[in-house]
Amino acid sequence: MLEPKLLHLPILEWYENNARELPWRTDDSTPWGVLVSEIMLQQTPVARVLPVWLEWMARWPAPKALAAEPPGEAVRHWGRLGYPRRALRLHACAKAIVAEHDGHVPSDHATLLALPGIGEYTAAAVASFAYGGRHAVLDTNVRRVFARAVRAEEYPPTATSAAERRLAEALLPELGAARWGVAVMELGALVCTARSPRCADCPIAGACAWRLAGKPPHAGPARKGQSYAGTDRQCRGRLLAVLRSAHGPVPKAALDAVWDEPIQRERALDGLITDGLAEHLDDGTYRLPHT
DNA sequence: TAACCGTGGCT
DNA sequence: TAGCCAAGGTT
């Protein structure tokens, strides 16, 4: 195994000099701000999250403020971040924090994990970044950095393995684990990127097993691409965009107008209602959820 | 476990 | 240009 200190110092020093200034990382950011940023950043780039996060923090500076709103307002102000079920879960999360934790974001990993929309990664991230807890933060960036630096592979496996978790925990420093986690993430986001890694700028290039092996390309089968055009997801997105931009119930015809294929359209609309992203009123109109 | 869940920028 | 990809979670 690679000696952890060969990685720690160079990466931490690199982070000192190259970290982006992000508002959820400042000294006055709150655990709630960190939590909201983590949910928004799930599968969504920083540049798109930034303006929405700022608006959310101004509008809902604490869980209690969001919990007082109907869930549809969370969905509306989610805008076009994508995966709007995250907005719904974040709203449910705020309500649970108010109901079960007196409005305070928990600091304990297991307690965080029990909240809606918070999985293994996000629980570790909040416990670590907001409270300084010592947890292995295994996101796609960290997994890629470790896959390359330690395992000499271009990409990590599809699903997080026990071996990856063991490695991440073995590399966790006794002190300063939170800073270490964010530093490795940042390295993956800015230098050790998925497609065109900037190895010339990498602080651990000299120790990177993948680079030393000649950067062998990913061996296994190509990862499944996510098709989008013509899918239910695209249809749901179109329908929900109509509900978001309207400031009241909309007639069925307004929804019919944005998607031609009727079978798929009805299926997608049913799905939105089942998921709690839309409501069907008695008069036949539709709107964002009020309850 | 693998499919499903949005959106848009980049190469 | 058309994939590829982005601080995942849920079922």
Side-chain angles (χ1 to χ4, degrees):
Chain A
M1 234 283 282
L2 194 55
E3 188 58 37
K5 287 210 163 48
L6 285 177
L7 302 180
H8 287 165
L9 265 47
I11 289 179
L12 288 168
E13 183 185 353
W14 173 87
Y15 183 72
E16 288 297 319
N17 298 320
N18 295 278
R20 293 167 291 182
E21 292 184 12
L22 300 174
W24 45 85
R25 283 185 191 159
T26 61
D27 289 338
D28 60 342
S29 69
T30 63
W32 171 241
V34 172
L35 196 167
V36 171
S37 79
E38 291 301 336
I39 304 285
M40 288 184 171
L41 287 163
Q42 290 168 3
Q43 305 287 284
T44 304
V46 166
R48 215 178 310 160
V49 165
L50 267 172
V52 181
W53 183 88
L54 291 170
E55 191 207 326
W56 272 56
M57 287 301 103
R59 185 182 299 272
W60 299 310
K64 184 178 175 184
L66 177 59
E69 300 269 10
E73 287 309 292
V75 176
R76 183 187 313 286
H77 293 282
W78 196 250
R80 303 189 68 79
L81 287 184
Y83 292 146
R85 292 194 290 195
R86 290 181 295 164
L88 222 44
R89 293 188 186 125
L90 190 43
H91 180 266
C93 186
K95 292 193 77 161
I97 289 170
V98 169
E100 301 163 18
H101 305 291
D102 196 28
H104 299 291
V105 175
S107 59
D108 175 69
H109 181 276
T111 308
L112 286 162
L113 196 54
L115 292 169
I118 297 190
E120 184 60 41
Y121 161 76
T122 304
V126 172
S128 180
F129 304 154
Y131 293 107
R134 186 171 179 273
H135 300 278
V137 176
L138 265 184
D139 80 323
T140 186
N141 291 303
V142 174
R143 296 181 61 220
R144 187 173 56 247
V145 169
F146 290 165
R148 289 175 180 170
V150 180
R151 303 188 51 184
E153 291 180 8
E154 186 177 20
Y155 297 120
T158 306
T160 304
S161 66
E164 286 183 275
R165 193 155 296 287
R166 279 195 301 273
L167 173 63
E169 285 168 1
L171 290 175
L172 212 52
E174 288 300 324
L175 265 40
R179 193 162 186 79
W180 162 248
V182 74
V184 179
M185 282 179 67
E186 193 79 338
L187 184 66
L190 299 183
V191 173
C192 194
T193 54
R195 263 179 291 182
S196 300
R198 302 163 51 198
C199 299
D201 299 325
C202 182
I204 57 168
C208 177
W210 181 59
R211 193 189 70 85
L212 293 173
K215 301 188 192 178
H218 180 64
R223 291 170 300 181
K224 288 200 64 158
Q226 351 171 345
S227 57
Y228 185 59
T231 61
D232 282 16
R233 288 157 79 183
Q234 184 184 33
C235 182
R236 286 166 58 109
R238 291 264 188 92
L239 297 173
L240 198 60
V242 172
L243 299 183
R244 269 200 318 264
S245 59
H247 282 265
V250 305
K252 180 75 162 49
L255 299 175
D256 293 346
V258 300
W259 196 264
D260 285 335
E261 211 291 300
I263 304 290
Q264 186 178 32
R265 189 178 64 223
E266 296 310 310
R267 181 173 67 236
L269 186 52
D270 283 347
L272 289 174
I273 292 167
T274 298
D275 290 348
L277 285 162
E279 281 181 359
H280 188 192
L281 304 183
D282 289 340
D283 64 1
T285 60
Y286 296 82
R287 69 177 181 192
L288 295 177
H290 276 230
T291 57

